[in-house]
Amino acid sequence: MGVPKKLKVEKPVKLIFVGGFLGSGKTTALAALAKRLIQQGMRVGIITNDQTENLVDTIIVKEMLSGLGVPVEEVVEGCFCCKFDELINQVEKILAHNPDILMGEPVGSCTDFVAAVANPIKIHYKDAFRFAPFSIMVDPKRVRELLMGEVKSPFPEEVSYLFGKQLEEADIIVLNKIDLLSEQETGRLLSNLADKFPAKRVLSISAKAGDGVDRWLEDLLSGRPGANTVLGQIDYDRYATAEAVLGWLNGAFKMAALEPFDANEFAHILAVRLREAFKRMDGEIGHLKFVIT
């Protein structure tokens, strides 16, 4: 990090960051929050993040918030932690739109966010920003697999270690995708998360269906200070191993057809075939996203 640049703000901007493992639903959740904030008359900006270029997240967020005037920027080829100066550059672009709320989504393999990102912002830009409680979003399947050990994980132990560290630095643990669960199973997973992390606030939502999102937003806007839990210790060798096994494939491809076709149907068939191909190789897809334009 070089000399901190000066940022111009008319009033302190609320920062809402939502972390969590690959595929937990962060992008859909941010869009759901943004829509509600806009309905309340607030101006919102979003910064996406991934380990490579051509971010599908950016396209998806822009599409989900189309026509609402939400500026969207991205930090590519590395996590917020490793690209802090680039993050501040993108924040500056969003600030040109005078937002009330600035939202961000760290890459799904990120942990140690509070020490590497939140604290430097608090130190160098303490008058410009106020952190909302830092949320970590979790997928029910990954909770059973990586935290509870009820399902055999295809990932090595280091990935479970990373998953646990993400939860350790949360202010709020958000169990997503409850539209896929029974009420009894939702309660069981919430109880398990609360037992393992008694100091955390634990909530359940369906970002897709909207259940619980308003209650979560109330907590984010409560004025309670956030991003305060610095990890006591982290084994960076295990962390690096976890990131290494979570390999990324990123590509942009051109398609041509002799006659019109249903792009949604094509995308569904492609996703299913990729899933089945990986199963045959005893492989695991941490996260799969694509768009057809």
Side-chain angles (χ1 to χ4, degrees):
M1 179 177 174
V3 177
K5 64 165 57 183
K6 293 183 179 180
L7 298 176
K8 294 173 61 177
V9 295
E10 294 183 4
K11 60 184 183 305
V13 175
K14 176 82 76 174
L15 298 181
I16 296 177
F17 280 87
V18 180
F21 195 69
L22 302 164
S24 57
K26 300 185 296 294
T27 305
T28 304
L30 281 182
L33 289 174
K35 288 179 180 178
R36 285 163 172 76
L37 289 165
I38 292 166
Q39 288 171 355
Q40 294 180 25
M42 298 186 193
R43 292 185 295 274
V44 179
I46 295 178
I47 299 179
T48 60
N49 178 218
D50 215 331
Q51 301 282 23
T52 186
E53 296 181 296
N54 301 320
L55 301 196
V56 172
D57 281 349
T58 304
I59 298 171
I60 291 174
V61 168
K62 287 182 176 179
E63 179 64 27
M64 294 179 78
L65 301 176
S66 176
L68 296 178
V70 176
V72 180
E73 300 293 342
E74 56 187 22
V75 173
V76 301
E77 298 183 336
C79 62
F80 288 155
C81 306
C82 304
K83 307 272 287 189
F84 185 82
D85 289 343
E86 178 65 15
L87 170 62
I88 296 303
N89 288 339
Q90 302 306 77
V91 166
E92 186 175 31
K93 293 179 184 178
I94 298 287
L95 292 179
H97 298 269
N98 193 27
D100 301 295
I101 309 283
L102 196 158
M103 310 172 79
E105 174 192 345
V107 64
S109 62
C110 175
T111 192
D112 211 21
F113 171 87
V114 174
V117 178
N119 279 355
I121 289 176
K122 291 177 181 180
I123 292 168
H124 298 295
Y125 306 105
K126 64 180 187 303
D127 296 326
F129 302 108
R130 298 289 182 269
F131 270 91
F134 179 44
S135 300
I136 291 292
M137 186 158 288
V138 292
D139 179 296
K141 176 186 176 184
R142 299 302 183 195
V143 172
R144 298 188 196 100
E145 174 190 301
L146 297 175
L147 186 67
M148 300 169 67
E150 293 182 347
V151 181
K152 186 178 184 302
S153 175
F155 295 121
E157 179 276 335
E158 288 83 0
V159 174
S160 296
Y161 174 78
L162 168 65
F163 187 80
K165 285 297 178 184
Q166 288 180 330
L167 294 170
E168 276 185 37
E169 66 174 346
D171 298 312
I172 307 173
I173 297 174
V174 184
L175 178 69
N176 192 18
K177 306 183 183 180
I178 60 170
D179 52 300
L180 303 177
L181 304 177
S182 67
E183 188 174 334
Q184 180 180 8
E185 179 65 358
T186 298
R188 187 179 78 90
L189 295 181
L190 286 174
S191 178
N192 190 277
L193 287 165
D195 287 344
K196 284 185 166 57
F197 300 95
K200 313 297 181 185
R201 181 160 169 74
V202 180
L203 302 174
S204 62
I205 72 163
S206 168
K208 182 179 178 181
D211 300 334
V213 176
D214 289 328
R215 180 181 55 176
W216 177 33
L217 182 58
E218 285 179 14
D219 205 352
L220 293 173
L221 298 180
S222 65
R224 184 162 63 97
N228 292 319
T229 306
V230 176
L231 294 176
Q233 60 179 11
I234 184 166
D235 186 329
Y236 281 98
D237 288 335
R238 294 167 79 186
Y239 181 18
T241 299
E243 285 206 304
V245 300
L246 296 172
W248 266 255
L249 169 66
N250 187 65
F253 306 92
K254 290 184 178 180
M255 297 191 301
L258 296 176
E259 57 187 35
F261 66 96
D262 186 324
N264 284 326
E265 182 182 6
F266 176 87
H268 179 74
I269 292 170
L270 176 59
V272 170
R273 289 184 178 178
L274 284 169
R275 180 185 64 189
E276 297 307 316
F278 272 86
K279 279 185 179 179
R280 290 193 294 271
M281 296 185 291
D282 292 325
E284 175 75 359
I285 299 175
H287 201 188
L288 173 63
K289 290 188 190 180
F290 49 82
V291 293
I292 300 175
T293 58

